[in-house]
Amino acid sequence: MRSSTHTEPIGLPRTALVTGASRGIGRAIARRLARDGMVVAVHYGADGAAAQETVELIAGEGGRAFAVGAELGAFEGVRALVEGVRAGFVAQVGDGGLDVLVNNAAVTTSGGHLQDETPEGFDRVFAVNVRAPFFLVQQLLPVLRDGGAIVNIGSAVTRVSLSDELAYAMTKGAMETFTRTLANVVGARRITVNTVSPGPTQTAGLTAAMAAVPQLEEMLIGGQALPWVGQPEDIADPVAFLASADGRWITGTVIDASGGTYLGPKR
Ligand code: NAP
């Protein structure tokens, strides 16, 4: 029997919300899902102009998207995002239903090492990276259609020990646990839940660091199995796969999309 999981609702285009889609990996995911025919809600935190640029890039590629701003460090922001997304889809497609949620927005801490972390920094990184996606799922479940997909963006930091990213790594570990448990919670509705975990990926921050430190590219590649610096599209493609009908039987798992970062020594 053919499953209807991850396919168009009758008479409507599929819809997606990508958090943190104003730049970087989130922008690449939003563009890819729009190319796959979804109407995309492009979420941003502070940079509305950058989110509008994502919307225009999508329109230039023949897709449909709209921007929604919400600060995810506070619960009110989650509520505002849910309302904005529902209203946006009603306006764009005549129905407030959602097919794909990509929890991508995240922050790192200003601390990093154990001794440098502050209670405020710790709370902030958990609020944005864990509490926001948790309550976003809770609040969106009534409009998330049966047969939908939730994709969380994790990080390869959970399988190695990077002592300068301690609290950040803990948030990504929490999201892996969320992924596994949530998959059982929503599975009866044929909704899949997975995490895609990038390694170092060339967003604006890494591009600037590579310009400042000429050896960095070689160092990064030296720590990976595959010989190029990860690009946002290298992450967007596996997300699109999980959100597509081809990914309908995959749930509760973590997919490493890091080009084989820190697999071990190369001999
Ligand atoms: P990025 O370039 O720093 O962009 C972050 C996005 O999240 C922006 O759209 C930003 O919106 C939004 N955001 C940040 N804080 C927010 C807040 N408090 N409230 C609402 N929105 C907020 O991120 P990225 O490097 O593309 O990373 C995307 C995902 O991949 C993250 O989950 C990250 O942990 C993961 N990851 C990245 C790498 C990497 O090397 N880049 C490696 C491993 C994992 P505004 O700009 O509008 O504020």
Side-chain angles (χ1 to χ4, degrees):
M1 191 187 85
R2 174 89 177 133
S3 150
S4 62
T5 292
H6 297 188
T7 53
E8 281 83 15
I10 294 161
L12 293 171
R14 293 182 82 209
T15 57
L17 164 61
V18 183
T19 67
S22 50
R23 53 193 159 98
I25 293 170
R27 173 180 278 182
I29 294 170
R31 292 178 72 178
R32 173 62 210 265
L33 296 183
R35 281 201 295 277
D36 288 353
M38 298 183 205
V39 179
V40 181
V42 171
H43 162 262
Y44 65 93
D47 197 344
Q52 199 49 43
E53 212 175 283
T54 304
V55 168
E56 279 157 25
L57 284 166
I58 288 172
E61 292 165 346
R64 290 165 72 189
F66 59 93
V68 194
E71 163 54 52
L72 295 181
F75 182 66
E76 299 71 54
V78 173
R79 281 236 167 101
L81 179 54
V82 170
E83 275 314 304
V85 165
R86 202 167 16 207
F89 285 131
V90 168
Q92 291 272 328
V93 300
D95 183 280
L98 179 69
D99 295 291
V100 177
L101 166 62
V102 182
N103 283 311
N104 165 79
V107 290
T108 50
T109 47
S110 49
H113 287 285
L114 176 64
Q115 63 273 22
D116 300 328
E117 198 55 83
T118 62
E120 295 74 24
F122 186 94
D123 285 350
R124 169 98 183 140
V125 75
F126 268 84
V128 177
N129 296 10
V130 181
R131 191 177 65 185
F134 181 100
F135 285 104
L136 199 50
V137 169
Q138 182 201 63
Q139 300 287 307
L140 281 171
L141 264 188
V143 295
L144 194 61
R145 291 197 183 97
D146 290 1
I150 298 170
V151 184
N152 300 314
I153 304 303
S155 172
V157 294
T158 59
R159 60 175 171 75
V160 291
S161 172
L162 296 183
S163 52
D164 59 344
E165 300 196 42
L166 183 49
Y168 169 78
M170 290 168 67
T171 68
K172 295 300 186 180
M175 289 305 290
E176 291 183 9
T177 304
F178 184 45
T179 295
R180 201 172 304 113
T181 306
L182 184 65
N184 259 349
V185 174
V186 298
R189 291 181 53 200
R190 288 178 286 117
I191 297 169
T192 61
V193 188
N194 294 287
T195 286
V196 171
S197 290
T201 307
Q202 197 173 348
T203 55
L206 186 53
T207 300
M210 281 163 61
V213 183
Q215 315 87 309
L216 185 58
E217 180 171 355
E218 199 186 328
M219 283 165 54
L220 290 172
I221 291 171
Q224 303 170 181
L226 296 177
W228 71 89
V229 176
Q231 300 298 306
E233 294 73 21
D234 294 325
I235 313 307
D237 290 347
V239 171
F241 166 72
L242 290 168
S244 76
D246 289 345
R248 65 190 176 278
W249 195 233
I250 302 170
T251 195
T253 196
V254 177
I255 294 187
D256 185 275
S258 73
T261 293
Y262 299 133
L263 289 181
K266 291 191 256 184
R267 298 184 212 282

